[in-house]
Amino acid sequence: MNATPKRGKTLKPAEVRELFSRLAELNPHPTTELAYTTPFELLVAVILSAQATDVGVNKATRKLYPVANTPAAILALGEEGLKTYIATIGLFNAKAKNVVATCRILVEQYDGEVPRDRAALEALPGVGRKTANVVMNTAFGEPTIAVDTHIFRVCNRTGLAPGKDVRAVEDKLMKVVPEDYKQDAHHWLILHGRYVCKARKPDCPQCVIRDLCRFKDKTPDESNR
């Protein structure tokens, strides 16, 4: 009998393609769970989502956007007015300050439009690389990959793109993800981390990529016990 060949800690190119093929078959048209209708609404929602849940952000913006969903309208509200809508979200004081400051720049420098350029996005208050990547990908169709805690966990556990920090994981993902899967990779991975490869108890028995995954502490299938 031949011994099972040893597998390295990192997925091979064929395994990476198979991983995304399965995720794509399961969810052919993945998208963000943040509610938005314009690039500006998405930008604000992503700024608000730092250290907060998408559900909590959507609850707040559901009341905010019918009243103010443009940079000029939020400027008219002002910080104190904005706070009344987002007070249920963590760090709402700092976020209100950043959103209003961002709106002022958009009005004064970009005619109220959200720039498509990474450097311009990252120069906005409250916008870092991850937020810029989300906006570029989801609003403008750029094949960027925003690495959050869910994606960082999935990439290190599975061996898809191990890295010591989020930037290292992002850089590796941009190298290993096949071009035809790059546009949706961010959404597949974040949803997989949020609902299957969960932090405390990953649902490995229900995972469609379990056999490819390098995570040595897989949760057992209790039905087979």
Side-chain angles (χ1 to χ4, degrees):
M1 232 175 133
N2 293 329
T4 303
K6 288 187 70 175
R7 300 194 301 175
K9 292 182 179 179
T10 305
L11 299 185
K12 296 177 181 178
E15 292 174 312
V16 172
R17 175 163 286 281
E18 178 63 19
L19 179 150
F20 282 107
S21 173
R22 294 182 192 180
L23 294 180
E25 184 176 359
L26 195 66
N27 185 1
H29 305 291
T31 188
T32 180
E33 293 187 315
L34 289 169
Y36 76 99
T37 58
T38 66
F40 176 71
E41 287 185 357
L42 178 64
L43 173 63
V44 171
V46 180
I47 293 174
L48 296 177
S49 71
Q51 298 181 49
T53 65
D54 288 358
V55 171
V57 172
N58 290 341
K59 186 177 179 181
T61 57
R62 197 175 298 124
K63 296 177 181 178
L64 170 65
Y65 289 159
V67 176
N69 70 339
T70 66
I74 287 182
L75 277 180
L77 273 183
E79 277 187 48
E80 294 307 314
L82 178 57
K83 286 177 187 178
T84 64
Y85 291 96
I86 66 170
T88 54
I89 299 173
L91 307 174
F92 71 93
N93 285 311
K95 290 175 181 178
K97 183 177 182 179
N98 284 333
V99 168
V100 169
T102 283
C103 289
R104 185 168 292 110
I105 292 172
L106 294 180
V107 168
E108 293 175 354
Q109 298 183 25
Y110 300 101
D111 296 321
E113 299 295 323
V114 177
R116 300 177 68 124
D117 175 69
R118 176 188 295 284
L121 282 168
E122 289 189 26
L124 297 172
V127 178
R129 185 176 181 86
K130 182 179 76 172
T131 297
N133 277 339
V134 172
V135 173
M136 290 170 66
N137 176 280
T138 306
F140 300 130
E142 298 290 336
T144 54
I145 302 176
V147 178
D148 69 349
T149 54
H150 295 299
I151 294 178
F152 183 78
R153 180 173 65 253
V154 169
C155 288
N156 276 286
R157 278 180 175 173
T158 61
L160 171 61
K164 64 182 187 304
D165 55 45
V166 293
R167 183 57 191 273
V169 169
E170 179 190 335
D171 290 344
K172 197 165 288 186
L173 280 171
M174 293 305 291
K175 291 180 181 177
V176 303
V177 177
E179 289 298 323
D180 48 329
Y181 289 123
K182 267 186 184 162
Q183 178 61 44
D184 292 321
H186 161 81
H187 299 299
W188 283 316
L189 294 174
I190 195 171
L191 292 170
H192 190 70
R194 186 173 287 166
Y195 296 111
V196 181
C197 195
K198 294 171 283 191
R200 293 187 179 179
K201 190 179 180 183
D203 192 5
C204 300
Q206 301 303 316
C207 178
V208 296
I209 58 171
R210 176 178 179 136
D211 58 312
L212 302 171
C213 176
R214 302 298 200 259
F215 186 44
K216 61 183 176 58
D217 298 319
K218 291 188 179 78
T219 53
D221 186 346
E222 294 180 357
S223 65
N224 292 331
R225 287 182 161 186

